[in-house]
Amino acid sequence: MTQPAAAKAPAPARAVGSSNQHSAFKDKTKPAEIRASSITAAKAVADAVRTSLGPKGMDKMIQEPKGDVTITNDGATILQQMKLAHPAAKMLVELSKAQDAEAGDGTTSVVILAGALLDASAKLLSRGIHPTAISESFLRAGEKCSEILADMATPVDLSDRESLLKSASTSLNSKVVHQHAGTLAATSVDAVLKVIDPAKDTNVDLKDIKIMKKLGGVVEDTELIDGVLFDQKSSSFGGPTRVDKPKIGLIQFCISPPKTDMDNQVVVSDYAAMDRVLREERQYLLNIVKQIKKSGCNVLLVQKSILRDAVSDLAHHFLAKMKIMVIKDIEREDIEYVCKSLNVRPAASLDHFTADTLATAELAEEIQTGSSKMVKITGVQNRGRTVNVLLRGSNKLVLEEADRSLHDALCVIRCLVKKRALIAGGGAPEMEMTLRLSEHSHTLTGVEAYCFRAFADALEIIPYTLAENAGLNPIVTVTELRNRHAKGEKNAGINVRRGQITNILEESVVQPLLVSVSAITLAAETVCSILKIDDVINVVN
Ligand code: ADP
Ligand code: MG
């Protein structure tokens, strides 16, 4: 059994403020003070993002020191950019990051839930309940909530495109770019369905979905590309810009004169030696280019190099003469994606560059998108399961937010691949949990019953905030919602469009079960760890 924070226990040596003799008194209040300050700091963070929740939530404008501006509604993005001093406040940022990694959506909700739970625990603490008792009960209540949610959920099949679209739209509805929800939802559903095998896959590697942002046009022009796109144009040395039946090679070495490892200088003093150096260089490069040509390659992809020119001008000239199209500056982290989509093997040295490493396709050509050029390869043989999304937007702010929103929508679909179940949105699951959890608390006794009830009441924050942000009277709305749920209408939710309580499933507001389950469990865990902190120790460097 846990001992209450005993005042009689010998006072441990403290690094901070141990100057006076009356440390017994101090020891008793300090943990409480630390806890109170953690709770206050973390709640302040939760309050900061509260107004962003839901389809009628507000957006935030984030200004960076350099003057860059970001407009967003995404909880994880807002929190990540905040400059926070208190360690407990930083825990909420981590919480939202964790939710982003686990579910991808619900990053605002999770922080708001944590804030409400902290509020509840502050009240329980003031009634003299020990923090350990609170945190243990909260963890159990979190588990109970997962069960309640699972009870509410309806299974969904990945062939049910309509449901997938609905859940992607729900997530997109609350974004700055919500007027383009239709296009982005369809894009995200198609993209995920293209890279998975619905029969056996239980996860989606989002790295297989490459999103390319191009300024110009409107978000509606966003499309799934049938082929592989490269952000670069083919290098302009008079080489081909269109190759039929290309044979594509990928090299990770450079076609430029080698450099010394250290910063050395070679002084060439006479003309004959100078000539020889130039000739050697030509010979060296020509040899590499000839060998590339010999393998049959006519489209060459070159990994970006930071040490020296990946392809020198002279090499470009030779490659152009031999009618080899060059796409250089392929980022290191993109190599895996390129290999998978083109079915090509990267060559780390010239000796490994042989005909059998090459990929074949129908066509490689340079295309014009907006104000810049890109290279598109179509008809790839044995193409891996990857897709390319070309995201368009009329300005940088919209484009960036569209990218973040598309990521959320992709994550929502990924959640459905991981756990194929949907629940209603609009505050319905939270209200249902509140009621069922308080019912459950009647079967409990003592401190635990108190804690369960407090936990249950805290969950009402989500419908309350949704109503508040939509300009409805939160108390009236939440009371009616509670009534309807008490009457057994499991799916009654806040219809923000009409400003009343309706069956939210009919409004097509659905979200993946995983998003809600992960939000509630992660929030409970974070609150527990904040409650268990009774001292902050600063390390002096
Ligand atoms: P998060 O970052 O937590 O995903 P959002 O701003 O996306 O935050 O808001 C999500 C909340 O809004 C969820 O509780 C969801 O049920 C609710 N919601 C989304 N669309 C609607 C809608 N059309 N009507 C009512 N509630 C909605
Ligand atoms: Mg969302």
Side-chain angles (χ1 to χ4, degrees):
M1 282 277 93
T2 30
Q3 288 270 325
K8 275 187 231 113
R14 282 187 184 280
V16 191
S18 57
S19 56
N20 64 25
Q21 301 300 312
H22 312 288
S23 52
F25 174 65
K26 230 177 179 172
D27 273 342
K28 215 174 167 188
T29 54
K30 191 168 180 197
E33 270 169 21
I34 292 283
R35 221 166 270 129
S37 105
S38 301
I39 291 177
T40 317
K43 256 173 54 190
V45 173
D47 283 340
V49 292
R50 249 189 77 181
T51 51
S52 309
L53 185 79
K56 296 279 167 97
M58 297 290 171
D59 307 327
K60 305 273 175 206
M61 191 178 247
I62 302 166
Q63 202 171 17
E64 282 167 36
K66 275 189 224 146
D68 284 352
V69 172
T70 310
I71 295 180
T72 185
N73 180 286
D74 186 47
T77 313
I78 299 171
L79 289 172
Q80 211 165 22
Q81 311 256 10
M82 271 187 192
K83 198 169 155 192
L84 297 168
H86 201 289
K90 289 184 186 149
M91 284 178 74
L92 286 209
V93 179
E94 291 306 315
L95 168 65
S96 134
K97 271 194 209 158
Q99 172 78 5
D100 201 25
E102 175 72 21
D105 194 18
T107 48
T108 317
S109 314
V110 73
V111 174
I112 297 176
L113 278 174
L117 291 178
L118 283 171
D119 209 10
S121 50
K123 286 187 192 128
L124 294 171
L125 284 172
S126 70
R127 287 190 189 178
I129 300 177
H130 195 271
T132 308
I134 302 177
S135 60
E136 277 173 7
S137 304
F138 274 19
L139 281 184
R140 269 197 293 277
E143 280 163 22
K144 184 76 194 158
C145 282
S146 313
E147 286 169 28
I148 298 171
L149 285 173
D151 265 0
M152 273 186 87
T154 44
V156 60
D157 197 71
L158 289 186
S159 57
D160 179 5
R161 195 181 144 84
E162 206 50 40
S163 292
L164 300 187
L165 279 177
K166 276 186 203 166
S167 30
S169 307
T170 304
S171 143
L172 289 164
N173 266 337
S174 48
K175 302 293 177 192
V176 181
V177 291
H178 62 266
Q179 67 270 39
H180 311 293
T183 317
L184 293 177
T187 310
S188 57
V189 171
D190 291 340
V192 172
L193 290 183
K194 261 203 166 158
V195 298
I196 60 156
D197 177 3
K200 59 175 202 282
D201 276 344
T202 52
N203 203 350
V204 185
D205 188 358
L206 289 186
K207 283 205 200 101
D208 291 345
I209 300 173
K210 182 142 184 73
I211 299 173
M212 251 165 216
K213 294 178 273 183
K214 270 285 159 210
L215 213 56
V218 286
V219 180
E220 242 80 63
D221 296 336
T222 297
E223 55 179 339
L224 224 55
I225 301 293
D226 177 30
V228 183
L229 266 190
F230 291 92
D231 213 356
Q232 302 86 337
K233 61 184 190 133
S234 71
S235 35
S236 46
F237 277 82
T241 54
R242 182 192 158 98
V243 180
D244 275 316
K245 305 261 175 216
K247 285 200 164 283
I248 308 152
L250 171 61
I251 60 168
Q252 295 179 301
F253 55 88
C254 303
I255 319 181
S256 58
K259 266 191 186 162
T260 49
D261 283 345
M262 276 171 289
D263 225 359
N264 277 341
Q265 268 187 340
V266 181
V267 179
V268 184
S269 50
D270 70 299
Y271 287 116
M274 186 75 197
D275 264 358
R276 209 164 53 239
V277 169
L278 288 177
R279 214 165 32 216
E280 287 275 317
E281 181 182 332
R282 280 179 79 89
Q283 205 49 48
Y284 173 81
L285 294 177
L286 200 57
N287 179 32
I288 297 179
V289 174
K290 272 185 179 161
Q291 209 152 325
I292 289 172
K293 182 74 188 168
K294 212 173 83 193
S295 69
C297 166
N298 53 12
V299 172
L300 188 67
L301 309 175
V302 188
Q303 181 179 323
K304 193 172 195 167
S305 162
I306 45 168
L307 298 174
R308 53 176 161 138
D309 267 355
V311 184
S312 73
D313 284 359
L314 189 59
H316 267 307
H317 169 76
F318 289 145
L319 287 163
K321 272 207 158 164
M322 297 197 186
K323 299 262 175 291
I324 298 175
M325 182 177 189
V326 182
I327 306 165
K328 61 173 189 175
D329 290 344
I330 305 229
E331 296 289 344
R332 201 194 181 95
E333 59 260 32
D334 287 346
I335 293 288
E336 202 185 328
Y337 168 81
V338 170
C339 292
K340 195 168 175 190
S341 10
L342 290 177
N343 192 22
V344 62
R345 251 199 354 252
S349 76
L350 191 58
D351 299 335
H352 294 123
F353 194 80
T354 49
D356 59 335
T357 62
L358 303 183
T360 44
E362 285 301 319
L363 179 67
E365 66 170 337
E366 202 172 78
I367 53 167
Q368 180 89 30
T369 8
S371 55
S372 58
K373 287 182 173 161
M374 302 176 103
V375 175
K376 182 171 165 183
I377 299 179
T378 44
V380 180
Q381 264 182 22
N382 302 326
R383 185 175 174 173
R385 279 181 178 267
T386 60
V387 302
N388 240 186
V389 178
L390 184 60
L391 189 63
R392 310 296 305 273
S394 50
N395 67 55
K396 197 167 149 267
L397 293 180
V398 171
L399 193 60
E400 299 282 330
E401 178 68 0
D403 181 27
R404 284 187 292 268
S405 309
L406 186 62
H407 170 258
D408 275 23
L410 288 170
C411 287
V412 163
I413 309 296
R414 182 181 64 177
C415 283
L416 291 177
V417 174
K418 279 190 192 169
K419 181 129 188 73
R420 300 175 187 192
L422 278 175
I423 54 172
E430 288 80 10
M431 189 46 89
E432 190 65 19
M433 284 191 279
T434 301
L435 285 183
R436 303 268 301 271
L437 208 57
S438 355
E439 271 169 30
H440 179 69
S441 74
H442 294 312
T443 64
L444 304 171
T445 51
V447 170
E448 194 165 23
Y450 263 120
C451 295
F452 264 59
R453 217 162 302 143
F455 190 99
D457 290 341
L459 300 178
E460 277 187 1
I461 189 81
I462 298 285
Y464 188 95
T465 311
L466 278 176
E468 202 173 44
N469 289 349
L472 307 172
N473 181 336
I475 295 178
V476 173
T477 316
V478 172
T479 312
E480 197 195 333
L481 186 63
R482 198 183 304 129
N483 248 337
R484 299 277 285 266
H485 275 260
K487 283 184 198 149
E489 289 182 45
K490 258 191 198 175
N491 294 323
I494 300 173
N495 184 340
V496 289
R497 242 169 262 136
R498 282 205 263 151
Q500 2 169 288
I501 309 292
T502 56
N503 183 340
I504 204 77
L505 281 186
E506 282 164 16
E507 282 291 308
S508 308
V509 180
V510 287
Q511 55 199 29
L513 171 63
L514 197 63
V515 171
S516 300
V517 169
S518 126
I520 201 99
T521 21
L522 289 177
E525 276 170 16
T526 301
V527 168
C528 292
S529 29
I530 292 182
L531 283 181
K532 289 210 161 171
I533 293 166
D534 73 345
D535 207 345
V536 177
I537 295 166
N538 288 316
V539 178
V540 184
N541 269 338

